[in-house]
Amino acid sequence: MKLEEIARRLGCELRGDGRVEISGAAGIEGAGPGEITFVSNPKYAGKVKDSRAGAIILAPDAAETPIPTLVSDNPYLAFARVIELFYRPPEPVPGIHPTAVIEESAEIGEDYSIGAHVVVGPGVRLGDRAVLHPHVVIYPEAEIGEDFVAHSHAVVREHCRIGDRVILQNGAIVGADGFGFAPTGDGKFSKIVQSGVVVLEDDVEVGSYACIDRATVGETRIRRGTKVDNLVQIGHGCQVGEDTVLAAQVGLAGSTRVGNRVMLAGQVGAAGHLTIEDGVIATAQTGIARSVEKGKRVSGTPEMDSALWRKNYVLMHRFPELVKTVKELEARVKELEGRE
Amino acid sequence: MKLEEIARRLGCELRGDGRVEISGAAGIEGAGPGEITFVSNPKYAGKVKDSRAGAIILAPDAAETPIPTLVSDNPYLAFARVIELFYRPPEPVPGIHPTAVIEESAEIGEDYSIGAHVVVGPGVRLGDRAVLHPHVVIYPEAEIGEDFVAHSHAVVREHCRIGDRVILQNGAIVGADGFGFAPTGDGKFSKIVQSGVVVLEDDVEVGSYACIDRATVGETRIRRGTKVDNLVQIGHGCQVGEDTVLAAQVGLAGSTRVGNRVMLAGQVGAAGHLTIEDGVIATAQTGIARSVEKGKRVSGTPEMDSALWRKNYVLMHRFPELVKTVKELEARVKELEGRE
Amino acid sequence: MKLEEIARRLGCELRGDGRVEISGAAGIEGAGPGEITFVSNPKYAGKVKDSRAGAIILAPDAAETPIPTLVSDNPYLAFARVIELFYRPPEPVPGIHPTAVIEESAEIGEDYSIGAHVVVGPGVRLGDRAVLHPHVVIYPEAEIGEDFVAHSHAVVREHCRIGDRVILQNGAIVGADGFGFAPTGDGKFSKIVQSGVVVLEDDVEVGSYACIDRATVGETRIRRGTKVDNLVQIGHGCQVGEDTVLAAQVGLAGSTRVGNRVMLAGQVGAAGHLTIEDGVIATAQTGIARSVEKGKRVSGTPEMDSALWRKNYVLMHRFPELVKTVKELEARVKELEGRE
């Protein structure tokens, strides 16, 4: 595809030779002569001059380059659109595979693709254009909106409710039992029936083997647009806000509330019954033990202000010296005290 | 259901108006007029006066409240029983679904529910009242006790042995190969056949996508009543005691022994070949690098006494100041030494 | 089997009575009279004298023992071979189970075992001697080499490429979508199509529920001989070298490069776009925030040199004292300054 054609489809301004032929997209370091790349983060601006890319997408204020350029206010988003010009995932096969087991009382919308060995339980309601890859299991009475995509081995448990345009990656599990056991007083535990549900609002995506547990009573809720990465654990009764990002292997204990536009980096954990307010950022592996106020950036276990944590980390490189210095000072002060 | 009826069924003393109609159960903060709630932890006692709940379960020594009250020595356990009065999970369908594949040599007890696409391998023995949800796979020669419940995609691997009343949540995997590779001397690794098994004793529950690896030789064993949360990793050859709680995303490396009534909070890790004795508590994200004595409470990576760890954490907030102070003291002492 | 027979099969020198009958293999602490064990790590050499084992595998320079001994330069590897003499996992059933769904355009080699409810999509190429346990799903156009073993619920996604002798444990997922979302400028996220693939080279093993994400563009690659444990997360675009070991619950964010013979212990995390060079070792729970040079050993979050980290840990046990001492020194210096 010629670059000028890409410019036209994306509605981007073109700088340089639009006749260059582009056959694919690649990252700034790997892109070759027939490929288009992008730079969004100013941190990588220096890499443009060494790039062998055939074309590049840049912000309006980027430095000039001899590489033919598409100008976009949001180069990363434009790059995402370019990828779609060159790649289409395999088309779902329309209809219901003969090995799928659909209970008669299930209501299924139009234009579906239901793969081999899928199981849809009694009373399920499934909106239009659902794509259920092989081996998806929908338990009884689940309600799911339009444009649902579930990859192989994803599961929606009984009574859970899912909005429109939700994507479940392979093995994502919505609504398994929360971890609820009452001590019986003799050192043993008695299982507490997990009677609540999980609600996923519109435009949520859930990664592979992420676990979103059903509530003991009431609901666990993930609000509109939030993205949950692989192997994340969300405990029973949690409430997660809109457009929040939970990176891989994050764990939230039960009944914790997470606000809107929060970013929890990989392997962050949060204790139960906390409130993590809007816009909070926690760096990787942070252990959040108390509620965190709006917009704060936290790190460490337990969490503290990220700037302080980073400063302490640098100072810790000289901690053995510090200890030695204090010991020496003690001796020197003692010596001074002994003088007359 | 009237509150007096609930009191009767639970065998609890009733204080206040027993004719109030209760239609469900809820947490102390969310409970409305038609709902019953509870307070068990004295920390939440202050929330009673703001509650809009229709009824509440309290300990005998709780402060009086105008809310109609059920009195219980164990309010949390009583609440768990109340939930069961109002909620029943979907009934398993009796019989064997026609799409299930049961090898002829498998022996299955009575009153089973075996769902769609379940696979039960040759030589499997399965006790009475088994509930296998769709897509459960039991490998050859596994032995499983009575009242077994396995949710979709749970797997029991070859030769593993499971007691009575065991519950596997979705995708729990009992007996996948341990991570065993012998260095061959030229920088490569040779797989070691994992010839051992996993044994789960009675009343164990295993969470979604938790992995309990089979032993290289001998067995990996989880003793009676222990509860394993989602996404937990238990390495080959581990022995976990009775009534122990392993919260989500905990990881135990191989051959580690964990005692009875231990509590490992979320994301705790333990190195291999350790002994974690009875009653140990490890707070979230603790990294246990050495054996831990009976009843100790540990935190940090590597672990230390929790009280010391917490004290250090507080002091670290003034660490930059401390470093500055020491530097200044050095100068001042030098100054003093130069006097005279 | 007589010990002399084992010696012959392994090609090991025999010391002591070769007629002792051995019926199984066990670890040094558990081995009884009819069992053979080994000691490889000199740390455990002291346990030999208390062992009740019927025979033992030792290095040539090990201290003498009355226990009949096989001598091997690599006792651990020899032990691995002994296990295989006594244990064979269940034999895969040849052929294709009638419930399996194999698309006509799939090409499958010879001598396969394809279990119940397996799904093999259109255009898939699968080498000789493939063993697909029940419920494995191979998405369209995947290419897989010879001697492939995939346990139940393992998944290979569209277009991914897998070498020879690769093993996927239960639920391993190769090629689910990477976690890629472009901010749209109004606080929301737009999904970026993940157009790349995953490539697993020869002799890779992937643990249960490990997730290796497909690249946004290009490929995520795991090189020859690398072993990935359970519940590991490998982000889109990562490159992992040869003979590297990623222990359970490790997480690599996107586009990170890991060298050859690297060892990341349990629960280690690494940020994205880093380079972790050949031979690096990271101890459990390390949080790698910057690139790490060849052969370094790192610990802590963020990572620092392991030796320094361990020293600091020891010193932290006296941190409260240190703080107190500095406070006292301040007072004493002030006192001294006031003299004269």
Side-chain angles (χ1 to χ4, degrees):
Chain A
M1 191 181 300
K2 291 211 184 309
L3 183 59
E4 58 198 13
E5 168 72 10
I6 298 174
R8 198 181 55 73
R9 294 215 196 176
L10 267 64
C12 285
E13 181 197 337
L14 168 67
R15 291 181 188 162
D17 182 2
R19 289 161 308 171
V20 57
E21 189 68 32
I22 300 297
S23 62
I28 180 73
E29 290 182 338
E35 292 175 316
I36 184 167
T37 189
F38 79 107
V39 168
S40 178
N41 190 332
K43 201 168 89 179
Y44 297 118
K47 292 185 187 277
V48 173
K49 68 173 196 299
D50 300 325
S51 175
R52 299 182 310 118
I56 190 162
I57 309 172
L58 294 171
D61 57 353
E64 291 216 0
T65 165
I67 303 172
T69 299
L70 300 187
V71 181
S72 167
D73 289 336
N74 191 337
Y76 191 29
L77 187 61
F79 183 70
R81 292 294 91 80
V82 165
I83 293 171
E84 292 177 16
L85 297 181
F86 292 105
Y87 180 79
R88 281 281 177 282
E91 280 290 314
V93 180
I96 297 180
H97 194 277
T99 60
V101 174
I102 317 287
E103 292 291 329
E104 249 184 81
S105 58
E107 290 176 31
I108 298 180
E110 300 187 339
D111 297 330
Y112 40 76
S113 166
I114 297 186
H117 301 125
V118 164
V119 175
V120 178
V124 167
R125 296 206 307 211
L126 189 55
D128 292 346
R129 294 172 302 283
V131 177
L132 306 188
H133 286 268
H135 290 241
V136 167
V137 177
I138 314 290
Y139 276 56
E141 308 289 340
E143 287 180 36
I144 299 171
E146 300 185 342
D147 298 296
F148 180 59
V149 175
H151 277 280
S152 294
H153 304 120
V155 171
V156 182
R157 287 276 299 263
E158 62 272 17
H159 303 295
C160 291
R161 301 194 305 274
I162 291 183
D164 295 336
R165 296 172 303 281
V166 166
I167 298 173
L168 304 184
Q169 293 293 328
N170 300 84
I173 161 74
V174 177
D177 282 7
F179 196 60
F181 303 93
T184 54
D186 57 354
K188 299 182 181 177
F189 295 97
S190 174
K191 182 174 175 72
I192 303 172
V193 169
Q194 302 294 299
S195 71
V197 298
V198 173
V199 179
L200 302 185
E201 298 187 359
D202 297 344
D203 301 303
V204 166
E205 178 160 342
V206 182
S208 289
Y209 302 127
C211 299
I212 305 178
D213 281 356
R214 63 195 307 108
T216 307
V217 290
E219 60 184 42
T220 305
R221 182 176 285 262
I222 314 292
R223 291 185 201 281
R224 187 201 48 71
T226 282
K227 312 301 182 189
V228 177
D229 200 355
N230 300 338
L231 298 166
V232 166
Q233 157 69 7
I234 298 181
H236 49 184
C238 284
Q239 305 277 326
V240 180
E242 298 186 352
D243 299 315
T244 275
V245 173
L246 304 182
Q249 298 172 321
V250 160
L252 305 180
S255 301
T256 276
R257 283 157 185 276
V258 177
N260 302 324
R261 293 172 305 286
V262 168
M263 300 193 79
L264 303 185
Q267 300 183 334
V268 167
H273 297 274
L274 307 181
T275 300
I276 298 171
E277 295 184 2
D278 293 354
V280 165
I281 293 174
T283 61
Q285 295 189 334
T286 297
I288 302 177
R290 287 148 315 185
S291 292
V292 182
E293 281 169 28
K294 194 170 172 178
K296 283 206 66 175
R297 193 182 171 102
V298 293
S299 304
T301 304
E303 86 291 345
M304 57 172 69
D305 176 74
S306 289
L308 171 61
W309 175 79
R310 200 168 300 116
K311 193 177 242 179
N312 282 348
Y313 167 72
V314 172
L315 293 172
M316 283 305 283
H317 282 80
R318 308 190 136 229
F319 188 53
E321 273 175 63
L322 182 82
V323 173
K324 202 169 150 231
T325 300
V326 171
K327 210 170 170 183
E328 287 167 1
L329 280 172
E330 269 194 290
R332 289 162 68 185
V333 166
K334 199 168 176 194
E335 164 79 21
L336 285 167
E337 287 168 338
R339 285 191 190 176
E340 188 89 6
Chain B
M1 190 181 300
K2 291 212 184 308
L3 184 59
E4 58 198 14
E5 168 73 9
I6 298 174
R8 199 181 55 72
R9 295 215 196 177
L10 267 63
C12 285
E13 181 197 337
L14 169 67
R15 291 180 188 163
D17 182 2
R19 288 161 308 172
V20 58
E21 190 68 33
I22 300 298
S23 61
I28 181 74
E29 290 182 338
E35 292 175 315
I36 184 167
T37 188
F38 79 107
V39 169
S40 177
N41 189 333
K43 201 169 90 181
Y44 297 118
K47 293 184 186 277
V48 174
K49 66 173 197 298
D50 301 325
S51 176
R52 299 181 310 116
I56 189 162
I57 309 171
L58 293 172
D61 58 353
E64 292 216 358
T65 164
I67 303 172
T69 299
L70 300 187
V71 181
S72 167
D73 289 335
N74 190 336
Y76 191 30
L77 187 60
F79 184 70
R81 294 293 91 81
V82 166
I83 293 171
E84 292 178 16
L85 297 181
F86 291 105
Y87 180 79
R88 283 280 177 283
E91 281 290 312
V93 180
I96 297 180
H97 194 277
T99 60
V101 173
I102 317 286
E103 292 292 329
E104 250 184 82
S105 58
E107 290 176 32
I108 299 180
E110 300 187 340
D111 298 330
Y112 39 76
S113 168
I114 297 186
H117 301 124
V118 164
V119 174
V120 177
V124 168
R125 296 205 308 210
L126 190 55
D128 291 347
R129 295 172 301 284
V131 176
L132 306 188
H133 286 267
H135 290 241
V136 166
V137 177
I138 314 290
Y139 275 56
E141 308 289 339
E143 287 181 36
I144 299 170
E146 300 185 343
D147 299 295
F148 180 61
V149 175
H151 278 280
S152 294
H153 303 120
V155 171
V156 182
R157 287 276 299 262
E158 61 273 19
H159 303 294
C160 291
R161 301 195 306 273
I162 291 183
D164 295 337
R165 297 172 303 281
V166 166
I167 299 173
L168 304 183
Q169 293 293 328
N170 300 85
I173 159 76
V174 177
D177 283 6
F179 196 60
F181 302 92
T184 54
D186 58 354
K188 300 181 180 177
F189 295 98
S190 173
K191 181 173 175 71
I192 302 173
V193 169
Q194 303 292 300
S195 71
V197 298
V198 173
V199 180
L200 302 185
E201 298 187 357
D202 297 345
D203 302 303
V204 166
E205 179 161 341
V206 183
S208 288
Y209 302 128
C211 299
I212 305 178
D213 282 355
R214 64 195 308 108
T216 307
V217 290
E219 60 185 42
T220 305
R221 182 176 286 261
I222 314 292
R223 291 184 203 282
R224 188 201 48 72
T226 282
K227 312 301 182 189
V228 177
D229 201 353
N230 300 339
L231 298 166
V232 166
Q233 157 69 7
I234 298 181
H236 50 184
C238 284
Q239 305 277 325
V240 180
E242 297 187 354
D243 300 314
T244 275
V245 173
L246 305 182
Q249 297 172 320
V250 160
L252 304 181
S255 300
T256 276
R257 283 158 185 277
V258 177
N260 303 324
R261 294 172 304 286
V262 168
M263 300 193 78
L264 303 185
Q267 300 183 334
V268 167
H273 297 272
L274 306 181
T275 300
I276 298 171
E277 295 183 2
D278 293 354
V280 165
I281 294 174
T283 61
Q285 296 188 332
T286 296
I288 302 177
R290 285 148 316 184
S291 292
V292 183
E293 280 169 28
K294 195 170 172 178
K296 284 206 65 176
R297 193 182 171 102
V298 294
S299 304
T301 304
E303 85 291 346
M304 58 172 68
D305 176 73
S306 289
L308 171 61
W309 175 78
R310 200 170 300 115
K311 192 176 243 179
N312 283 347
Y313 166 72
V314 172
L315 293 171
M316 283 306 283
H317 283 81
R318 309 191 136 228
F319 188 52
E321 272 176 64
L322 183 81
V323 172
K324 203 169 150 231
T325 300
V326 172
K327 210 170 170 181
E328 287 166 1
L329 280 172
E330 270 194 289
R332 288 162 68 185
V333 167
K334 199 168 176 192
E335 165 79 20
L336 284 167
E337 288 168 337
R339 278 196 194 176
E340 190 160 0
Chain C
M1 191 179 300
K2 291 212 184 310
L3 184 60
E4 57 199 12
E5 168 73 9
I6 298 174
R8 199 181 54 73
R9 295 215 196 177
L10 268 64
C12 285
E13 180 197 337
L14 168 67
R15 291 181 187 161
D17 182 2
R19 288 160 309 172
V20 57
E21 190 68 34
I22 300 297
S23 61
I28 181 74
E29 291 181 338
E35 292 175 315
I36 185 167
T37 188
F38 79 107
V39 168
S40 178
N41 190 332
K43 201 167 92 182
Y44 297 117
K47 292 184 188 276
V48 174
K49 67 174 195 298
D50 302 325
S51 176
R52 300 181 310 117
I56 189 163
I57 309 172
L58 294 171
D61 58 353
E64 290 216 1
T65 165
I67 303 172
T69 299
L70 301 186
V71 181
S72 168
D73 288 335
N74 190 336
Y76 190 29
L77 187 60
F79 184 70
R81 294 294 91 81
V82 165
I83 293 171
E84 292 178 15
L85 297 181
F86 292 104
Y87 180 79
R88 281 280 178 283
E91 280 291 312
V93 180
I96 298 180
H97 194 277
T99 60
V101 174
I102 316 287
E103 293 291 329
E104 249 184 83
S105 58
E107 290 176 31
I108 298 181
E110 299 188 338
D111 298 330
Y112 40 76
S113 167
I114 298 187
H117 301 124
V118 164
V119 175
V120 178
V124 167
R125 297 206 307 210
L126 190 55
D128 291 346
R129 295 173 299 283
V131 176
L132 306 188
H133 286 268
H135 290 241
V136 166
V137 177
I138 314 290
Y139 276 57
E141 308 289 340
E143 287 181 35
I144 298 171
E146 300 186 342
D147 298 295
F148 181 59
V149 175
H151 277 281
S152 294
H153 304 120
V155 171
V156 182
R157 288 275 300 262
E158 61 273 17
H159 303 295
C160 291
R161 300 195 306 274
I162 291 183
D164 294 336
R165 297 172 302 281
V166 167
I167 298 172
L168 304 184
Q169 293 293 328
N170 300 84
I173 160 75
V174 177
D177 283 6
F179 195 61
F181 302 92
T184 54
D186 57 355
K188 300 182 181 176
F189 294 97
S190 174
K191 183 175 175 69
I192 303 173
V193 169
Q194 302 293 299
S195 71
V197 298
V198 173
V199 179
L200 301 185
E201 298 187 358
D202 297 344
D203 301 302
V204 166
E205 179 160 344
V206 183
S208 289
Y209 302 127
C211 300
I212 306 178
D213 282 354
R214 65 196 306 109
T216 307
V217 289
E219 61 184 41
T220 304
R221 181 175 286 260
I222 314 292
R223 290 185 203 281
R224 188 200 46 72
T226 282
K227 312 301 181 188
V228 177
D229 201 354
N230 300 339
L231 299 166
V232 166
Q233 157 70 8
I234 298 181
H236 49 184
C238 284
Q239 305 278 325
V240 179
E242 297 187 353
D243 299 314
T244 275
V245 173
L246 305 182
Q249 298 172 321
V250 159
L252 305 180
S255 301
T256 276
R257 284 159 185 275
V258 176
N260 301 325
R261 294 173 304 286
V262 168
M263 301 194 77
L264 303 186
Q267 300 183 335
V268 167
H273 297 273
L274 306 182
T275 299
I276 298 171
E277 295 184 4
D278 293 353
V280 166
I281 293 175
T283 62
Q285 295 188 334
T286 296
I288 302 177
R290 286 149 314 185
S291 292
V292 182
E293 280 170 28
K294 193 170 173 179
K296 283 206 68 176
R297 193 182 171 102
V298 294
S299 304
T301 303
E303 86 290 346
M304 57 172 68
D305 176 73
S306 289
L308 171 61
W309 175 77
R310 200 169 301 117
K311 192 177 243 180
N312 282 348
Y313 166 73
V314 172
L315 293 172
M316 283 305 283
H317 283 80
R318 309 190 136 229
F319 188 53
E321 273 176 63
L322 182 81
V323 173
K324 202 169 149 232
T325 300
V326 170
K327 210 170 170 183
E328 287 166 2
L329 280 172
E330 270 195 288
R332 288 161 68 184
V333 166
K334 197 169 178 192
E335 164 79 19
L336 285 167
E337 287 168 337
R339 278 196 195 176
E340 185 167 4

